[in-house]
């Protein structure tokens, strides 16, 4: 009665939420195959009615997208930036997680707060701050007889920007796992004669591996899709989101954007699946 | 716990402040007026700026800031491609073409990365003088560098927006006006006056659009010059407080009938495509793009009887350009008659080099036709004089009113108010 | 922990001696661990934030358009004055952010609850993937797809046309709230799921043993324990809405904090003013974070 109704109601509500989440994605997928440049839905339906599915849908824009130099270059740049940012985030995030979990020190509580700041603050604030700092760095400053300058805007500055807000996802995952592990296994290992390096290599690291990988996958996703901070730190370079932003309002490029979106959907299923399996049902929730 | 956190943050701030103070050694400490991203300060040349008069070997790369449509590589219309021929001819790969939506954006971009991120830009008159005064633009000896320069229309050879004290800071590209465009299926009577976009009781309320940038206040002032002659507006960019307030009030009223402003040409095009906008100001480029769509969006445009604001664009090179020779080669390329033909046909403007007109008349491209140049008033001094080209509003009115005019920073703040008006 | 007694016949390689030495010097290890992240986050990131804050006290000289480094509060005076639009814009943005947060909480909860407590592990895994995949699709594409859906000849009007209704159109507060709710939804679902998942089954059983029926258990046990998760998710929905400038540009003629800030820094180059206005969302979020921390949301992240 009451229980049954609420069970059905729960499923219906969940289904509606999922539908809400996916309808726009389905639409993008449909449009990737839309032969016409025009983006009107009504025209699409009319075209199906008038000319049938064969004339309305095609793989034409897939071909155009593959041959588009800018799309390829920006895709690979995004890939490079994501890999770089993830590696940096892994190092920094894990180091910070270990430091916070294993030691007590002045400012320990502040670390969790500071680590989450880049993601909690609006992207435009992070972007403006980093942009101003980078411009100042490029202008350079004098340290005694030396004139030190930081690198020009480019892949390096993009990675710096991305890594800053990717640290938190790695940090949170590793800290959560460290808390769950406790010290007992490591202490047992040491009691049995292993030194700290052996303990780390044989006991600690394997237990952490899945959390680290889950964090890395999420950091990768965050970096790959980021637009706002990247706009401020990319200079003349174009990552894939920047390319999309420059092109998705242009009649000639919009169909290509739809294709790119579809490809990103397909490419993302595997890493997400992997991340879900690795993290397991347990720490799946401690994403950030 | 809280105290420790605050102490840590305070310590950080102190360290940073100290570094900030001592780190500003690149800034001359005279009153602290320093460009935000100035290159290491060059000595102010007492004998005049260094004028470049020779093109060396190309560096193989070029990064440009352009108005949309000024650096086409065949991606939009295959016949309009002047980037690939340039690359083949000079070996300079056009690596970056950054399309800007407004002059301010161009100026801001030119300041990034110490001024050497971009090699050059196509600047309108409201950006040129600012950039020159900031020392960001290289002076060029146009006669030695660009043989084609002598064929430019007299009005475009040494205009005041890119030639100061006889020194040239670039080559003119072309010029044109901001037009009134409408969707012919919705707006059935062809308008001929800007009053239709300022009409409080407009039948198209909610579907009117306007250029989302503070310089549009000049358009309102230009309309008021005819509609309210007692305000005495002669120069829509140099307004007294009373004139400025009237223009702002008109725009706040206009806000009520505006559905959406357009900040980039892509937004403008998309808004007409899906019917969000049916009436408003535009650049010629969007008109051509909408008409060329499949199916074409039914639009027409007119230069209204009150006149119009416009733009005169110059190719300029950054004083800190990383690839100066390639940039000079580009500037030379852009005033060639064949390039000029393609550019002005595609964008819809008047060329700086009148020889392009002969080419357009004899062998027009997809968007061109015989008589194109006449329609654009290419060699028409009187017409060009009547267009109020974009320039930076300064406090110095430039006439008997002294320095009582409203400068551009006030325009920007007023624009925020206008857009937020209810 | 007593150190290994190296007088016994245990092989002492260099590595082993190094690890032993490090083990005895935890502070050294700590320093090595902390140095890189601290250097990065505190010096580079916090440092640039502080610089941004400092620059909000400067101003842009209108004539020469250079930044004058004379500290003053004039930017803030202008921002917070009542005859300027900026307070209103901030209030409008915060209101939209609050609506989006409420809508997302309502939408996320059933699905998160289903995943956490009802679904089988396999279904849970599939649902988890289903929720995370949209995050991998470009934010821009997802926003733009709503443009297609909401425009006059778009999907929504077409569907509603069958029952004689029309959609809200693509301009205004309603479409914007709708799009924001859509975009940030996964960021709300995941922390709520984490929070719900943590509730031990024993508590629920105890509650029903003590005579509480489903609704009471829900209201008294589940909801309060899930609340930190909701707060954690709301950090994202609120913060992301406060700072966004891309969606408002596409769906509205109105002003939001994000596009005013972006207009002033990206277009006008007026960094001091933009920085001053940007402190508004920063302050709001700092306060929000501190409250959220107190409510235990950080554990649920």
């Amino acid at each position: 009665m009451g229980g049954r109704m609420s069970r059905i109601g729960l499923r219906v509500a969940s289904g509606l939420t999922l539908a809400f989440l996916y309808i726009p994605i389905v639409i993008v997928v449909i449009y990737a195959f839309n032969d016409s440049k025009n983006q009107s839905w009504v025209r699409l339906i009319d075209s199906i009615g008038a000319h049938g599915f064969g004339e309305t849908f095609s793989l034409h824009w897939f071909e155009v997208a593959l041959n588009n130099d800018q799309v390829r270059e920006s895709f690979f740049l995004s890939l490079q930036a994501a890999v770089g940012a993830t590696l940096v985030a892994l190092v920094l995030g894990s180091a910070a997680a270990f430091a916070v979990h294993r030691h007590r020190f002045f400012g320990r509580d502040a670390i969790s707060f500071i680590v989450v700041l880049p993601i909690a603050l609006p992207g435009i604030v992070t972007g403006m701050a980093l942009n101003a700092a980078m411009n100042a760095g490029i202008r350079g400053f004098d340290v005694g007889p030396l004139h030190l300058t930081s690198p020009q805007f480019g892949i390096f500055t993009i990675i710096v920007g991305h890594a800053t807000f990717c640290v938190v996802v790695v940090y949170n995952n590793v800290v959560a796992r460290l808390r769950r592990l406790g010290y007992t296994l490591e202490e047992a290992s040491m009691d049995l004669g292993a030194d700290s390096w052996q303990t780390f290599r044989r006991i600690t690291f394997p237990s952490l591996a899945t959390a680290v990988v889950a964090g890395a996958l999420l950091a990768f996703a965050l970096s790959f899709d980021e637009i706002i901070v990247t706009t401020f730190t990319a200079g003349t370079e174009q990552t894939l989101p920047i390319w999309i932003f420059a092109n998705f309002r242009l009649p000639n490029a919009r169909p290509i954007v739809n294709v790119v979106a579809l490809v990103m959907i397909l490419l993302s299923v595997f890493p997400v699946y992997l991340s879900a399996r690795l993290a397991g049902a347990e720490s799946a929730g401690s994403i950030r | 716990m809280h105290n420790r956190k605050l102490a840590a943050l305070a310590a950080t701030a102190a360290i940073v402040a100290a570094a900030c103070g001592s780190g500003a050694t690149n800034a001359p400490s005279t009153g602290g007026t320093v460009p935000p991203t100035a290159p290491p300060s060059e000595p102010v040349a007492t004998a005049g700026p260094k004028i470049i008069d020779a093109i060396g070997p190309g560096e193989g790369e070029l990064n440009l800031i352009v108005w949309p449509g000024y650096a086409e590589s065949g991606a939009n219309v295959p016949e309009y491609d002047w980037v690939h021929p340039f690359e083949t001819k000079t070996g300079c790969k056009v690596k970056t073409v950054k399309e800007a939506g407004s002059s301010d954006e161009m100026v801001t971009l030119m300041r990034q990365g110490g001024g050497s991120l971009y090699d050059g830009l196509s600047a309108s008159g409201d950006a040129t003088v600012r950039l020159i005064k900031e020392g960001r633009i290289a002076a060029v000896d146009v006669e030695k560098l660009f043989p084609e320069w002598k064929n430019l229309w007299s009005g475009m050879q040494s205009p005041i927006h890119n030639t100061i004290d006889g020194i040239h800071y670039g080559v003119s590209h072309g010029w044109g006006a901001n037009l009134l465009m409408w969707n012919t299926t919705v707006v059935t009577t062809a308008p001929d006056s800007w009053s239709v976009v300022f009409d409080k009781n407009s039948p198209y309320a909610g579907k009117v659009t306007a250029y989302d940038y503070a310089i549009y206040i000049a358009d309102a002032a230009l309309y008021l010059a005819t509609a309210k002659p007692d305000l005495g507006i002669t120069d829509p960019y140099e307004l007294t407080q009373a004139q400025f307030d009237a223009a702002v009030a008109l725009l706040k009223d206009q806000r009520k009938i505006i559905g959406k402003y357009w900040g980039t040409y892509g937004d403008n095009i998309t808004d007409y495509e899906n019917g969000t906008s049916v009436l408003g100001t535009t650049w010629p480029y969007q008109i051509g793009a909408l008409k060329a769509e499949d199916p074409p969006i039914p639009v027409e445009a007119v230069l209204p009887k009150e006149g119009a604001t416009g733009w005169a664009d110059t190719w300029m090179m950054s004083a800190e350009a990383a690839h100066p020779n390639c940039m000079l080669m580009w500037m030379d390329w852009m005033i060639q008659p064949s390039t000029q033909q393609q550019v002005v046909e595609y964008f819809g403007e008047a060329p700086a080099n009148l020889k392009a007109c002969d080419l357009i008349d004899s062998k027009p491209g997809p968007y061109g036709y015989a008589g194109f140049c006449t329609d654009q008033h290419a060699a028409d001094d009187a017409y060009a004089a009547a267009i109020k080209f974009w320039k930076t509003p300064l406090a110095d009115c430039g006439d008997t009113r002294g320095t009582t005019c409203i400068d551009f920073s006030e325009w920007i703040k007023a624009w925020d108010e206008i857009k937020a008006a209810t | 922990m007593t150190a290994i007694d190296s007088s016994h016949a245990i092989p002492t390689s260099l590595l082993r001696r190094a690890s032993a030495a490090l083990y005895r010097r935890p502070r050294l290890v700590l320093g090595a661990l902390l140095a890189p992240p601290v250097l990065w986050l505190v010096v580079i990131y916090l440092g640039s934030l502080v610089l941004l804050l400092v620059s909000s006290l400067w101003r842009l000289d209108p004539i020469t358009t250079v930044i004058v480094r004379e500290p003053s509060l004039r930017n803030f005076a202008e921002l917070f004055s009542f005859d300027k639009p900026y307070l209103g814009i901030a209030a409008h943005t915060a209101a939209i952010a609050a609506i989006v947060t409420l809508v997302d909480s309502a939408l996320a909860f059933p699905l998160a609850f289903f995943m956490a407590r009802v679904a089988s592990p396999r279904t849970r895994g599939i649902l988890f993937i289903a929720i995370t995949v949209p995050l991998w699709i470009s934010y821009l594409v997802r926003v733009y797809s709503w443009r297609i859906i909401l425009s006059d000849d778009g999907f929504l009007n077409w569907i509603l046309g069958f029952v004689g209704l029309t959609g809200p159109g693509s301009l205004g507060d309603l479409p914007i709230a709708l799009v924001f709710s859509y975009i940030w939804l996964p960021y709300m679902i995941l922390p709520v799921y984490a929070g719900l998942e943590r509730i031990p089954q024993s508590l629920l059983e105890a509650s029903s043993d003590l005579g509480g029926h489903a609704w009471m258990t829900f209201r008294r046990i589940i909801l309060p324990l899930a609340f930190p998760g909701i707060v954690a998710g709301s950090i994202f929905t609120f913060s992301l809405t406060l700072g966004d400038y891309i969606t408002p540009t596409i769906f509205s003629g109105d002003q939001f904090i994000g596009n005013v800030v972006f207009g002033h820094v990206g277009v006008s180059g007026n960094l001091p003013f933009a920085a001053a206005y940007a402190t508004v969302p920063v302050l709001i979020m700092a306060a929000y974070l501190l409250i959220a921390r107190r409510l235990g949301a950080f554990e649920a992240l």
Side-chain angles (χ1 to χ4, degrees):
Chain A
M1 292 85 51
R4 186 115 187 281
M5 285 292 285
S6 58
R7 254 202 297 279
I8 293 180
L10 184 64
R11 277 165 209 269
V12 167
S14 308
L16 283 176
T17 305
L18 263 183
F20 180 59
L21 208 50
Y22 269 86
I23 285 180
I25 296 176
V26 168
I27 296 218
V28 166
V29 169
I30 293 177
Y31 271 84
F33 295 97
N34 183 0
D35 195 52
S36 156
K37 277 190 217 173
N38 192 290
Q39 304 283 294
S40 148
W41 176 264
V42 170
R43 264 189 62 81
L44 186 66
I45 299 294
D46 287 345
S47 167
I48 296 177
H51 307 292
F53 281 95
E55 289 269 323
T56 313
F57 296 112
S58 75
L59 292 175
H60 169 63
W61 293 107
F62 285 84
E63 203 189 314
V64 175
L66 267 171
N67 291 327
N68 188 313
D69 288 337
Q70 284 195 336
V71 171
R72 271 206 312 272
E73 282 169 18
S74 54
F75 179 78
F76 283 117
L77 184 71
S78 280
L79 220 52
Q80 287 174 316
V83 167
T86 304
L87 287 174
V88 174
L90 276 178
V91 169
L92 296 181
S94 315
F98 266 94
V100 165
H101 188 251
R102 294 294 170 82
H103 303 262
R104 306 199 153 276
F105 53 90
F106 166 74
R108 184 169 175 238
D109 301 307
I111 296 282
S112 324
F113 187 77
I114 293 175
V115 157
V116 86
L117 260 186
I119 250 187
L121 290 181
I124 195 171
V125 173
T126 305
M128 283 196 309
L130 287 176
N131 176 273
M134 286 169 184
N135 268 315
I138 292 169
R139 279 205 311 282
F141 33 89
D142 298 311
V143 178
L146 297 169
H147 184 76
L148 300 175
T149 56
S150 68
Q152 181 60 279
F153 284 106
I155 181 85
F156 177 78
T157 54
I158 296 177
I159 290 179
V160 166
H162 286 193
T164 308
F165 57 75
C166 285
V167 170
V168 65
V169 289
V170 175
Y171 172 83
N172 276 330
N173 270 3
V174 176
V175 160
R177 181 61 64 88
L178 283 174
R179 278 196 203 135
R180 210 158 290 167
L181 285 180
Y183 296 102
T184 47
L185 274 178
E186 292 178 357
E187 286 178 358
S189 153
M190 298 237 188
D191 284 339
L192 290 167
D195 60 48
S196 45
W197 169 248
Q198 278 176 328
T199 309
F200 178 77
R201 191 163 61 90
R202 297 258 185 108
I203 310 288
T204 321
F205 188 69
S207 330
L208 283 179
T210 55
V212 165
V213 173
L217 282 171
L218 266 155
F220 191 90
L222 269 180
S223 160
F224 201 81
D225 185 34
E226 215 283 328
I227 173 80
I228 295 185
V229 173
T230 322
T231 306
F232 283 94
T233 55
T236 56
E237 296 288 349
Q238 269 194 335
T239 59
L240 195 58
I242 291 182
W243 179 86
I244 293 177
F245 190 55
N247 282 279
F248 77 147
R249 286 164 287 184
L250 306 180
N252 289 306
R254 224 179 280 136
I256 307 180
V257 173
N258 291 327
V259 167
V260 168
L262 171 58
V263 168
M264 283 171 83
I265 297 174
L266 294 175
L267 285 179
S268 72
V269 173
F270 178 67
V272 173
Y273 171 74
L274 198 63
S275 143
R277 284 291 293 261
L278 284 174
E282 262 201 296
S283 54
S286 62
I287 298 306
R288 294 175 189 276
Chain B
M1 180 188 76
H2 263 287
N3 296 336
R4 276 205 246 151
K5 207 168 29 163
L6 284 172
L9 286 173
T12 315
I15 294 170
V16 170
C20 171
S22 61
T25 50
N26 57 309
S29 49
T30 52
T33 54
V34 174
T37 56
S41 45
E42 301 165 64
V44 175
T46 45
K50 173 167 171 289
I51 302 181
I52 302 181
D53 58 7
I55 306 182
E59 299 90 352
E61 190 181 296
L62 188 61
N63 298 305
L64 298 167
I65 307 169
V66 302
W67 290 111
Y70 277 27
E72 287 297 299
S73 52
N76 287 311
V77 179
E79 292 88 344
Y80 289 119
D81 176 5
W82 53 92
V83 165
H84 287 118
F86 170 77
E87 291 178 336
T88 318
K89 178 170 175 243
T90 62
C92 296
K93 181 163 185 333
V94 181
K95 181 163 167 284
T96 310
V97 172
K98 174 85 177 149
E99 288 182 341
S102 65
S103 291
D104 263 1
E105 195 186 339
M106 288 192 174
V107 172
T108 303
L109 285 169
M110 281 296 281
R111 293 188 184 136
Q112 293 287 310
S116 57
L117 201 59
Y118 294 97
D119 299 308
L121 76 165
S122 60
S124 295
D126 57 336
T128 51
V129 176
R130 269 195 281 170
L131 287 170
I132 295 171
K133 290 234 157 87
E134 276 180 33
R136 295 200 184 274
I137 305 294
V140 288
D141 185 332
V142 287
E143 294 183 76
K144 286 205 182 119
L145 291 169
F146 312 121
E148 199 60 39
W149 178 81
K150 56 187 189 307
N151 294 326
L152 294 187
W153 177 45
S154 54
M156 284 284 125
Q157 278 183 330
S158 308
I160 50 168
H161 55 263
N162 63 34
T163 311
I164 298 184
D165 296 334
I167 300 174
H168 293 89
Y169 289 91
V171 279
S172 298
H173 164 95
W175 55 279
N178 296 314
L179 303 171
L180 176 63
M181 176 166 75
W182 67 94
N183 184 320
T184 49
T185 46
V186 178
V187 182
T188 43
T189 337
D192 67 345
S193 159
W194 288 111
S195 59
V196 294
V197 298
F198 293 115
D199 175 10
K200 274 194 276 200
N201 307 309
S202 169
Y204 315 106
K207 290 194 181 274
V208 179
T209 187
Y211 183 39
D212 187 356
Y213 181 47
I215 206 81
Y216 188 70
I217 297 178
D219 288 61
L222 181 66
Y223 171 68
L224 288 175
T226 320
K228 290 216 178 105
D230 356 295
L231 283 170
I233 296 175
T234 47
D235 183 344
Y237 300 98
E238 298 299 338
L239 304 170
T240 60
Q241 188 68 56
Q243 295 166 340
F244 184 72
D245 291 341
V248 170
L250 180 68
L251 288 168
K252 284 184 176 168
D253 282 342
Q254 187 198 44
R255 174 72 186 92
K256 301 185 177 72
I257 62 169
I258 298 264
K260 192 167 169 294
Y261 293 88
W262 61 273
T264 67
Y265 79 108
D267 287 331
N268 194 203
I269 292 176
T270 312
D271 290 341
Y272 274 82
E273 274 177 358
N274 56 27
T276 308
S277 302
V278 298
L279 179 65
T281 180
T282 192
W283 301 335
Y285 180 44
Q286 286 87 292
I287 305 170
L290 286 165
K291 285 185 175 175
E293 285 200 30
D294 171 34
I297 312 293
V299 292
E300 283 304 333
V302 76
L303 189 96
K305 59 184 190 219
E306 295 92 355
T309 55
W311 22 266
D313 299 333
T314 308
W315 286 106
M316 299 185 140
M317 179 168 84
S318 167
E320 302 294 319
H323 314 99
N325 293 318
C326 277
M327 185 62 206
L328 291 167
M329 293 186 210
W330 175 264
M331 288 158 78
D332 181 55
W333 176 251
M334 288 311 291
I335 56 172
Q336 300 301 315
S338 53
T339 320
Q340 284 266 298
Q341 173 193 11
Q342 289 199 50
V343 172
V344 301
E345 276 185 12
Y346 183 61
F347 195 88
E349 54 181 348
N353 189 340
L354 293 177
K355 288 211 163 153
C357 295
D358 304 328
L359 287 177
I360 299 176
D361 286 339
S362 54
K363 267 193 311 185
Y367 288 18
Y369 53 89
F372 177 88
C373 276
T374 321
D375 284 352
Q376 299 291 334
H377 303 266
D380 192 336
D381 289 288
Y383 180 79
I387 296 198
K388 306 295 181 192
F389 291 123
W390 285 341
K391 64 178 191 189
T392 311
L394 299 171
D396 180 1
C397 303
D399 54 33
T400 53
R401 294 172 294 172
T403 51
T404 57
C405 287
I406 310 294
D407 73 71
F408 196 53
S409 65
E410 297 302 309
W411 287 48
I412 305 236
K413 300 231 181 91
W415 190 249
D416 276 344
E417 281 177 42
I418 290 167
K419 283 187 67 178
T422 40
Chain C
M1 273 304 303
T2 51
I4 307 288
D5 180 6
S6 53
S7 65
H8 285 252
I10 296 169
T12 48
S13 68
L14 184 62
L15 187 58
R16 220 179 148 80
R17 272 184 285 156
S19 356
L22 279 177
Y23 189 77
R24 278 194 288 270
R25 291 178 184 74
R27 292 274 143 187
L28 186 63
V29 176
L30 173 65
L33 282 176
L34 265 190
V38 164
L39 195 71
W40 189 288
L41 284 173
V42 174
V43 175
I44 297 180
Y45 180 64
L46 267 187
S48 53
L49 274 186
V50 167
L51 266 171
L52 190 70
L53 187 63
V54 169
S55 72
S56 71
L57 298 172
W58 299 336
R59 65 183 179 89
L60 190 70
D61 183 302
I63 315 272
T64 56
T65 66
V66 299
I67 293 184
V68 178
R69 289 186 190 173
E70 287 157 9
S72 81
L73 286 174
R74 68 173 71 200
N75 286 332
F76 290 97
E78 203 170 327
L79 282 175
F80 291 114
S81 87
F82 280 104
D83 46 297
K84 293 281 175 178
Y86 304 107
L87 276 181
I89 295 172
H92 177 235
T93 313
I96 300 274
I99 294 175
V100 168
T101 303
L102 287 171
V103 170
D104 272 347
S105 310
L107 282 176
F109 201 87
L111 187 55
F113 188 82
F114 181 76
M115 269 175 74
R117 311 225 65 98
V118 178
S120 67
R122 190 160 158 272
T123 318
R124 194 178 302 157
I126 296 175
L127 283 177
F128 179 74
I129 296 177
I131 290 168
T132 336
V133 161
L135 290 178
W136 280 74
I137 304 166
S138 164
Y139 153 90
L140 291 168
V141 170
R142 288 184 287 148
V143 168
Y144 192 71
S145 66
W146 275 98
R147 192 91 198 274
I148 301 178
I149 295 175
L150 290 174
S151 66
D152 285 347
D153 54 354
F155 180 73
L156 190 64
N157 278 348
W158 180 72
I159 285 234
L160 290 177
F162 290 122
V163 291
L165 296 170
T166 51
S170 61
L171 286 179
D173 283 343
L174 185 52
I176 281 217
L178 186 60
V179 176
F180 274 135
S181 304
Y182 171 76
I183 303 282
W184 313 135
L185 188 55
Y187 295 105
M188 175 66 90
I189 297 179
L190 293 171
V192 174
Y193 162 77
L196 283 170
E197 193 227 353
R198 254 183 271 268
I199 301 176
Q201 185 66 19
S202 49
L203 269 182
L204 301 177
E205 286 169 5
S207 163
S208 67
D209 283 343
L210 288 168
H213 53 76
W215 178 245
M216 176 155 289
T217 308
F218 178 78
R219 202 161 55 90
R220 291 280 185 91
I221 312 281
I222 295 178
L223 210 48
L225 286 176
F227 190 62
I230 298 180
V231 175
S234 73
I235 293 177
F236 293 107
T237 57
F238 210 81
S239 150
L240 292 165
T241 308
L242 274 185
D244 195 75
Y245 65 88
I246 296 180
T247 306
T249 317
I250 300 174
F251 285 97
S252 176
D254 287 334
Q255 299 277 65
F256 283 70
I257 296 179
N259 59 334
V260 171
V261 170
F262 187 70
H264 280 274
V265 70
V267 175
S268 318
N270 192 347
L271 184 66
F273 190 75
Y277 201 34
T279 57
V280 172
V282 169
L283 288 173
I284 296 180
M285 281 323 296
Y288 204 100
L289 278 175
L290 286 173
I291 298 175
R293 196 155 181 263
R294 194 138 296 186
L295 290 171
F298 276 32
E299 316 302 321
L301 276 174

